[in-house]
Amino acid sequence: IVVGACTAAQVVNPTGAGDAARAGLLHGLAAGWSLEHTGRLAAILGSLVVAQAGTLLPSLDMDAVQRLAEETYGERLPF
């Protein structure tokens, strides 16, 4: 499948984006999500990390994740 990118609000530092995307991938797979939803979560988490300094998100705002899913992909993720 092909999953479109989730554009970051800004690009501050790409360090950690791959790890964040991998976390989204592993979460989606473990939860039994479709590959499409899993890829979308991975893209969203990667975009959130590159928009900040540092490699770890201080917290994960699920409302922001769902907002990005709706804005970018037209639907919410199946949390």
Side-chain angles (χ1 to χ4, degrees):
I1 65 164
V2 174
V3 174
C6 180
T7 304
Q10 61 182 346
V11 177
V12 175
N13 183 355
T15 306
D19 291 334
R22 188 169 28 261
L25 175 74
L26 292 172
H27 174 82
L29 293 174
W33 289 8
S34 70
L35 291 178
E36 186 174 38
H37 285 130
T38 298
R40 289 175 177 178
L41 178 60
I44 289 167
L45 294 181
S47 75
L48 291 173
V49 169
V50 301
Q52 63 162 24
T55 60
L56 297 174
L57 295 171
S59 65
L60 186 57
D61 180 350
M62 296 308 292
D63 291 332
V65 170
Q66 291 291 23
R67 190 171 41 256
L68 282 171
E70 289 176 337
E71 290 171 3
T72 306
Y73 305 110
E75 67 178 358
R76 295 173 64 84
L77 294 172
F79 283 107

